[in-house]
Amino acid sequence: MKMASIILVTLFLFNLVFVPSMALPFGFGFPGDYDQQQPPQDNEQNQDKNQKLVNDGNNGNLRVGFYKDSCPNAENIVAGALAEISKTNPNAIANLIRLQFHDCFVVGCDASILLDYSPTGDKVEKSSMFNGQLLKGADIIDDIKSKLEEQCPGAVSCSDTLAFSVNEGMAIAGLPRRAALGGRRDSIYSLASVAEDNNLPMPNWPLEKMVELFTRKGFTIEEMVILLGAHSVGSAHCDVFMERIYNFANTRKPDATLPTPVVNELQQICQNPGTPQFRNPPVNFDETPTVLDNLFYKNMITRNKTLLITDAHLLNDPRTIPVVQQMAGDEGLWQKRFAEVMVKLSSLNVSTGTDGEVRKTCRSTN
């Protein structure tokens, strides 16, 4: 039971196992000799909007073009490296989005999730039961950071490396390109106990507990629903939602809110754990697991299909169902709002100026 609980805890929201087999749409990337290219461009309206979002959040030290003097090619280096990584690792984008959520929602966007040890000697965030071995993407940041260090030693922080990578990854996955905001500094400590102190959600939480957490972190209910749209990419293993299709609430029956066709579809993939055929495979949240689109919401509205109980809550509350309906009906609106909320997430409680440090290696303090 304890192990099952740990597995459930580690697989919520962005903390999922991303193993889609589809190739990423590389048309949005920057393959080739990225050192000679100009940094990814963004229109002035999006730049201004990004800056306004940060200023409204009292993190005005973040800005577009932060590294124009110390590392003018920073965004371009990240773009080229991630484009290459994505060719052989189609899970990269979803892993990075998930990694950033788990970094920012604990203390703030300070790359503390990347540390392998803390000067205090305490267990670090990545070793907590909320993260563990299923937390992926740190190796991707290692690769990208090493390329930044080759070009600009000691200039670009690990927290900005992660934020720039997620920003670029969203463009690779189909969102309109935006210029990245820089200026974050890195934490010198990381504590598993803080990650476990009601700062990361569980997949079986009631909606009220979800609302309380997101509100405490500064997000509205609408923004919570939009951020949960990250389930547009990636997948969850069968054991995360197995009870819903076989033994919901110990009834030995499927969850009555799941339509029979959905139950049958999921049971075809997820064999009963009591049988020899059970292999715990991953199941995509929707049919386009590498593309950031609104199919996740459409499936909720048209098929009443959800994997996680926390997603199912969104269909049963008058505060959230109108947002789900709106996002399902307008893909462009969801992509726009998701990008905006991700700017807010990546600016959460950042350290700037002389706070923290700029790590040369993301797994250890300088």
Side-chain angles (χ1 to χ4, degrees):
M1 181 62 70
K2 182 177 180 181
M3 180 59 68
S5 298
I6 292 174
I7 292 173
L8 282 174
V9 168
T10 58
L11 285 165
F12 179 74
L13 195 57
F14 301 100
N15 192 2
L16 307 168
V17 176
F18 295 101
V19 288
S21 59
M22 296 172 56
L24 283 163
F26 298 117
F28 293 92
F30 289 82
D33 187 1
Y34 52 81
D35 286 344
Q36 300 302 316
Q37 295 174 330
Q38 294 299 314
Q41 298 297 307
D42 188 19
N43 62 60
E44 292 183 3
Q45 183 178 7
N46 276 345
Q47 289 187 30
D48 292 343
K49 188 170 294 184
N50 283 1
Q51 196 65 58
K52 183 178 186 300
L53 283 166
V54 174
N55 290 338
D56 289 347
N58 298 317
N59 291 317
N61 287 334
L62 297 185
R63 63 181 185 273
V64 171
F66 183 85
Y67 295 102
K68 66 179 180 179
D69 295 324
S70 60
C71 191
N73 256 350
E75 292 178 57
N76 214 38
I77 294 169
V78 171
L82 188 57
E84 290 301 313
I85 291 169
S86 299
K87 291 177 181 179
T88 56
N89 182 5
N91 313 322
I93 307 309
N95 287 341
L96 290 172
I97 292 175
R98 161 197 169 216
L99 188 66
Q100 185 169 61
F101 174 81
H102 275 249
D103 183 41
C104 296
F105 248 51
V106 176
V107 176
C109 305
D110 59 4
S112 55
I113 190 67
L114 300 175
L115 286 172
D116 282 343
Y117 70 90
S118 176
T120 64
D122 296 294
K123 288 176 55 180
V124 294
E125 290 175 33
K126 66 168 58 174
S127 67
S128 79
M129 61 184 294
F130 283 83
N131 296 313
Q133 295 181 352
L134 293 178
L135 189 68
K136 299 182 183 300
D139 57 333
I140 299 172
I141 298 302
D142 288 340
D143 291 344
I144 296 174
K145 174 65 169 171
S146 67
K147 290 179 171 56
L148 287 167
E149 286 295 312
E150 290 173 5
Q151 299 292 320
C152 313
V156 183
S157 67
C158 294
S159 49
D160 272 349
T161 302
L162 176 56
F164 284 16
S165 299
V166 171
N167 184 69
E168 176 62 24
M170 291 192 300
I172 292 176
L175 266 61
R177 187 174 301 283
R178 288 172 173 260
L181 296 165
R184 300 166 188 81
R185 303 267 290 183
D186 299 329
S187 174
I188 61 174
Y189 68 90
S190 178
L191 297 173
S193 59
V194 179
E196 295 166 3
D197 188 20
N198 208 30
N199 283 311
L200 292 171
M202 294 178 63
N204 59 351
W205 273 10
L207 184 63
E208 287 304 326
K209 196 166 184 179
M210 289 282 293
V211 170
E212 186 279 327
L213 172 62
F214 277 80
T215 301
R216 175 158 45 88
K217 298 296 181 180
F219 293 86
T220 66
I221 291 176
E222 179 198 36
E223 289 170 334
M224 179 188 74
V225 177
I226 290 168
L227 199 54
L228 284 169
H231 287 164
S232 169
V233 291
S235 58
H237 278 283
C238 291
D239 59 1
V240 178
F241 56 88
M242 186 69 74
E243 65 169 324
R244 296 194 70 199
I245 60 175
Y246 285 107
N247 185 27
F248 185 66
N250 294 319
T251 62
R252 297 187 180 182
K253 297 179 180 179
D255 184 348
T257 65
L258 283 176
T260 299
V262 172
V263 172
N264 291 340
E265 174 188 328
L266 296 177
Q267 287 184 347
Q268 287 294 315
I269 303 172
C270 302
Q271 299 295 320
N272 193 312
T275 66
Q277 291 80 20
F278 179 63
R279 294 292 184 271
N280 196 29
V283 180
N284 295 332
F285 280 102
D286 65 29
E287 293 78 12
T288 55
T290 61
V291 181
L292 284 165
D293 55 25
N294 69 337
L295 189 55
F296 168 70
Y297 298 104
K298 286 182 177 179
N299 281 343
M300 293 173 73
I301 296 297
T302 61
R303 304 180 60 203
N304 199 13
K305 179 183 177 181
T306 57
L307 300 186
L308 305 185
I309 294 174
T310 42
D311 289 341
H313 292 328
L314 304 182
L315 286 169
N316 300 313
D317 191 283
R319 297 168 296 177
T320 55
I321 184 61
V323 184
V324 173
Q325 292 170 332
Q326 186 180 34
M327 297 303 119
D330 191 335
E331 180 171 293
L333 175 62
W334 177 74
Q335 290 183 326
K336 171 178 174 293
R337 292 291 289 121
F338 183 73
E340 292 172 352
V341 177
M342 286 297 292
V343 170
K344 183 173 180 177
L345 173 68
S346 67
S347 307
L348 190 62
N349 296 332
V350 296
S351 296
T352 60
T354 58
D355 293 338
E357 65 178 3
V358 175
R359 292 187 222 138
K360 295 179 181 179
T361 302
C362 294
R363 292 179 181 269
S364 63
T365 57
N366 293 336

